[in-house]
Amino acid sequence: IERTFSILKPDATERNLTGAINAVIEKAGLRIVAQKRIRMTQEQAETFYAVHKERPFFGELVSFMISAPVVVQVLEGDNAIAKYREVMGATDPAKAADGTIRKLYAKSVGENSVHGSDAAETAAQEIAQFFSGNEIVG
Ligand code: GTP
Ligand code: MG
């Protein structure tokens, strides 16, 4: 059993897609073991996406992430990290496979509805940035 960190991004919460996206997540066999709706601060967004700070889209990415509430989640399941990346689909919705969250709902490569951790180490770091141990109920 494995855990991954997920964010339902501002374009998703703005369009009332929390429930629709959660349905796709649960149907894929992932269990939502922690979840909260928050307004990210600029500092939290900059820390979270620090790996991209030299990229030309960094400023746009940070402003987008703080533009409306997000839902942060911990998902649990067998191979949760890889499974959730598969369920999310490619970063660019135009390249995402049918049935994936980004194919179904993403607006663009920037406003792409969801985030999911890309490896075990980043999953642990990202979960720890937003959740304390007693908020995760498996
Ligand atoms: P995350 O799960 O959000 O990390 O997406 P990813 O792993 O599929 O993509 P990556 O880590 O390469 O990029 C992180 C995020 O930066 C993406 O999800 C997009 O929201 C944003 N992003 C990536 N490329 C672009 C771009 O060309 N323009 C803009 N505006 N945003 C981008
Ligand atoms: Mg990424």
Side-chain angles (χ1 to χ4, degrees), residues 9 49 52 57 60-61 85 91 102 109-110 112 115-116:
K9 295 183 179 183
Y49 278 124
H52 295 306
F57 57 80
E60 202 179 310
L61 175 57
R85 299 283 298 185
T91 309
R102 284 165 168 169
V109 68
N112 61 2
H115 161 82

